[in-house]
Amino acid sequence: MFKGGFVNKSHSRTRYAAMNMATNVVGYFFNTLLGFVCRIVFVHYLTVDYLGVNGLFTSIIAMLSLTELGIGSVITYSLYEPLARGDRKRIAVLMTFYAGIYKVIGLIVAGMGLALIPFLNKIISEPPDIKEDLALIYLFFLFNSVFSYFFSHKISLLRAAQKDYIVVGASYLITTLQSLFQIAVLIVTKNYLYYLYIQTFGTICYFFWLSLVVKKHYGFIPVDPVDTLDKAEKKKLFKDVWALSVAKLSGVLVNSTDSLIISNLINVAAVGLLSNYLLLANTLNSLISKLLISLKAGIGNFNAVEKKENTQRLFFHIHFLLFAFYGCGTVGILIVANDLIKLLFGEEYLIPANVVAVLALNFYMVGMQNVVGTFKESLGLFKYGRYVLLLTAFINLFLSFLLGKKLGLFGILLATAIARFLTNWWYFPIIVFKRGFNGNPIKYYLTYALQGVFLLCAAGLSALACGHVSLSPLLNVFTKSVICVSIFYISLFLVFHRRAEFVYFGHKARHGFLKMTQSTNAENEK
């Protein structure tokens, strides 16, 4: 689509989606494997309290990031049209405006973060078993977050231009080198501060690299005369930002407060135990999300030019594709997670099966909600449903303390699932279908229910089949994984092979294979 940063008609949404997807998936597999190796080394050479502190400070920084106010999504949405038209002046105006906003946000985050330092010891109920100063460790996390705000607008530009493969490729290369050095340092020194030094250096290298890429492709941004946005445009942008800020705040309160509550009601070690399972769930979620991220800019472009019924059809196609991945991942977490944690970290890092079950439930709910959220943003429906998300956050906080005191870790995670189910799970599809598609969400709810019943049956069959597997830890993980994947996808074919979404992807797969075969034959003839 883009030549020198602009639209190139010889490229297609499909081609850019394929490039983004390939970079995301291939790089992610390798990076994830290395990440697990790094975590194993981390657990082996440091105590579980280090894991807990790492998870706790990550959550605190995520809470501070609510100051970003969702502006990244507004940037991406506002850049679709000028990028498609090759409007240099408009791009320059928007990017200059956003750069100024991000600098202010970075300074606010820095101020809020520094103000929290005196209260760190009050957040943690019991002093962790670590030798380093808590405030110093926290400052490393804060610096990495604040530093990113001075470059975030450039990443949004590349993503809006469907060049996510550049962003992701740079991230994977830097992270790979960073992980290798961190592994070596932990083995040689067993020093957590050196581990953080390397992480900070990697952050700096990543953002400077992307700055050079943006300068190469969009060098006109600081060069061309730049006007300012008029009052009406600023007002509209700030309205969109405000709408997303409420959603951002709610998301942080729902997703990032669990670690703080667990640290306060139980202890920081429990945060560390849960963090290994969250690493597994987040790894699967991130891998599948790469698919949706790769398609996001193309979806925005598609929504801008296609009819409503075609956009709705695309929604169901992507929804089914995500179910095929998130459903299998959910079964895998339920059946294999404890075996995998035992293999990688040891039996002392296991958590109860009921906690794993509710963790899998949250994984599935969040994952399947991704497609709804993506279309909601791509359709520009920022302002709708923002206060529903606040309700989600308040219900989650109330239930987390209530159920956490009675049921412990299980109750805190269950509260999150209940809060989502009572609010945004059912309400956001109404917004997307009525406001975005001019349609009725009934088909969505029926499809979700059918898929839910299928998932329960697949999980039950997998549990029965794996119940008699008792081998070595490595063979347990391998055998149970093969059983779960086989049962899920064979059942998926038997139940859904006649549905339009399955037929659509079957046709796409056959067409791609034939095209590849024809290209190979043509090369051989030459």
Side-chain angles (χ1 to χ4, degrees):
M1 264 183 167
F2 301 90
K3 187 175 183 181
F6 292 113
V7 177
N8 183 339
K9 299 301 182 182
S10 65
H11 288 48
S12 66
R13 287 188 297 263
T14 303
R15 179 173 176 178
Y16 269 107
M19 291 168 67
N20 291 336
M21 198 181 306
T23 307
N24 272 295
V25 174
V26 174
Y28 192 75
F29 268 117
F30 178 75
N31 209 250
T32 298
L33 180 61
L34 191 59
F36 271 105
V37 174
C38 192
R39 175 57 69 97
I40 292 170
V41 173
F42 189 106
V43 168
H44 183 75
Y45 288 99
L46 300 174
T47 66
V48 68
D49 281 11
Y50 280 98
L51 269 183
V53 168
N54 203 76
L56 177 63
F57 286 167
T58 299
S59 295
I60 291 175
I61 295 302
M63 292 187 67
L64 290 175
S65 73
L66 64 89
T67 316
E68 191 264 350
L69 300 177
I71 194 172
S73 297
V74 176
I75 292 176
T76 303
Y77 178 74
S78 64
L79 285 170
Y80 284 145
E81 185 181 349
L83 281 167
R85 292 188 286 106
D87 188 342
R88 293 161 61 104
K89 182 177 179 181
R90 179 67 178 173
I91 295 169
V93 169
L94 288 170
M95 291 301 292
T96 303
F97 175 70
Y98 291 135
I101 290 180
Y102 265 121
K103 288 176 183 176
V104 173
I105 291 172
L107 294 174
I108 293 173
V109 171
M112 292 172 60
L114 292 172
L116 275 178
I117 291 178
F119 303 97
L120 292 178
N121 289 323
K122 297 185 181 298
I123 295 174
I124 302 173
S125 60
E126 299 176 7
D129 180 23
I130 62 173
K131 59 183 180 180
E132 293 84 3
D133 181 62
L134 275 178
L136 179 59
I137 294 173
Y138 172 73
L139 285 173
F140 275 101
F141 284 84
L142 181 61
F143 174 83
N144 288 339
S145 176
V146 171
F147 187 78
S148 69
Y149 286 106
F150 294 88
F151 299 88
S152 295
H153 61 291
K154 298 180 180 181
I155 293 177
S156 295
L157 173 61
L158 291 173
R159 283 181 167 153
Q162 299 189 61
K163 293 185 177 180
D164 193 49
Y165 60 91
I166 296 176
V167 177
V168 173
S171 174
Y172 286 149
L173 180 58
I174 295 294
T175 305
T176 297
L177 294 173
Q178 173 184 305
S179 297
L180 289 173
F181 280 111
Q182 286 177 318
I183 289 169
V185 163
L186 283 177
I187 292 174
V188 174
T189 69
K190 303 179 181 64
N191 190 305
Y192 183 52
L193 287 182
Y194 291 162
Y195 176 93
L196 294 177
Y197 284 135
I198 295 170
Q199 183 172 299
T200 300
F201 182 71
T203 299
I204 294 171
C205 291
Y206 170 68
F207 285 110
F208 273 125
W209 184 355
L210 288 183
S211 290
L212 293 175
V213 172
V214 170
K215 185 176 181 179
K216 176 182 177 181
H217 289 278
Y218 303 94
F220 60 85
I221 290 176
V223 176
D224 285 356
V226 177
D227 297 327
T228 57
L229 296 173
D230 60 41
K231 290 184 178 180
E233 289 178 309
K234 287 182 179 179
K235 185 177 180 181
K236 181 182 184 305
L237 287 173
F238 280 122
K239 278 186 176 180
D240 288 340
V241 168
W242 168 248
L244 281 173
S245 71
V246 177
K248 181 82 172 180
L249 170 63
S250 306
V252 167
L253 291 176
V254 172
N255 298 319
S256 300
T257 53
D258 283 353
S259 293
L260 278 73
I261 296 171
I262 293 167
S263 174
N264 187 265
L265 292 184
I266 307 174
N267 53 48
V268 74
V271 178
L273 292 177
L274 182 63
S275 70
N276 287 330
Y277 287 83
L278 290 176
L279 174 64
L280 174 60
N282 291 337
T283 297
L284 286 173
N285 183 50
S286 295
L287 176 59
I288 301 168
S289 295
K290 299 300 178 188
L291 171 67
L292 197 56
I293 292 171
S294 302
L295 298 172
K296 190 171 183 179
I299 292 171
N301 184 279
F302 186 92
N303 291 341
V305 298
E306 293 289 343
K307 296 179 180 178
K308 299 292 185 182
E309 56 266 29
N310 291 336
T311 305
Q312 180 173 318
R313 191 177 300 114
L314 177 66
F315 173 90
F316 278 109
H317 289 161
I318 295 177
H319 184 269
F320 178 79
L321 186 64
L322 288 188
F323 170 71
F325 292 116
Y326 277 110
C328 187
T330 301
V331 174
I333 291 173
L334 278 170
I335 309 299
V336 188
N338 271 339
D339 292 281
L340 185 58
I341 296 299
K342 182 178 179 180
L343 171 66
L344 295 178
F345 306 112
E347 195 164 359
E348 65 271 23
Y349 284 88
L350 296 179
I351 60 177
N354 63 338
V355 179
V356 177
V358 75
L359 181 67
L361 175 62
N362 278 309
F363 167 81
Y364 180 74
M365 292 180 72
V366 171
M368 294 306 295
Q369 195 75 9
N370 279 343
V371 65
V372 177
T374 296
F375 273 81
K376 184 174 178 291
E377 287 187 10
S378 298
L379 290 164
L381 304 172
F382 301 113
K383 67 179 181 179
Y384 299 103
R386 57 193 183 278
Y387 298 118
V388 171
L389 281 173
L390 276 180
L391 181 61
T392 307
F394 288 130
I395 293 175
N396 176 61
L397 286 172
F398 173 74
L399 290 180
S400 289
F401 279 104
L402 181 65
L403 298 180
K405 289 181 179 179
K406 294 183 177 181
L407 303 174
L409 190 57
F410 172 76
I412 294 171
L413 296 181
L414 180 62
T416 305
I418 293 173
R420 288 191 177 112
F421 181 78
L422 292 176
T423 53
N424 58 304
W425 173 83
W426 63 269
Y427 187 70
F428 274 19
I430 293 176
I431 295 171
V432 171
F433 276 82
K434 289 193 174 181
R435 302 280 182 178
F437 303 151
N438 296 331
N440 193 309
I442 292 298
K443 180 182 177 182
Y444 170 83
Y445 295 127
L446 292 176
T447 300
Y448 201 103
L450 174 63
Q451 291 171 347
V453 172
F454 171 87
L455 184 61
L456 288 173
C457 294
L461 288 173
S462 297
L464 288 174
C466 294
H468 303 289
V469 176
S470 181
L471 305 167
S472 66
L474 178 60
L475 286 177
N476 268 347
V477 171
F478 176 77
T479 305
K480 290 183 178 181
S481 297
V482 170
I483 290 172
C484 290
V485 171
S486 300
I487 288 177
F488 185 87
Y489 285 113
I490 291 172
S491 302
L492 188 78
F493 174 79
L494 294 175
V495 175
F496 294 102
H497 71 281
R498 293 184 182 277
R499 290 183 67 90
E501 296 83 7
F502 195 102
V503 173
Y504 170 81
F505 284 109
H507 172 74
K508 283 287 185 181
R510 287 192 299 271
H511 179 72
F513 176 76
L514 288 173
K515 191 173 181 179
M516 181 179 66
T517 303
Q518 290 167 359
S519 298
T520 303
N521 291 337
E523 289 294 325
N524 291 336
E525 288 175 4
K526 291 180 180 179

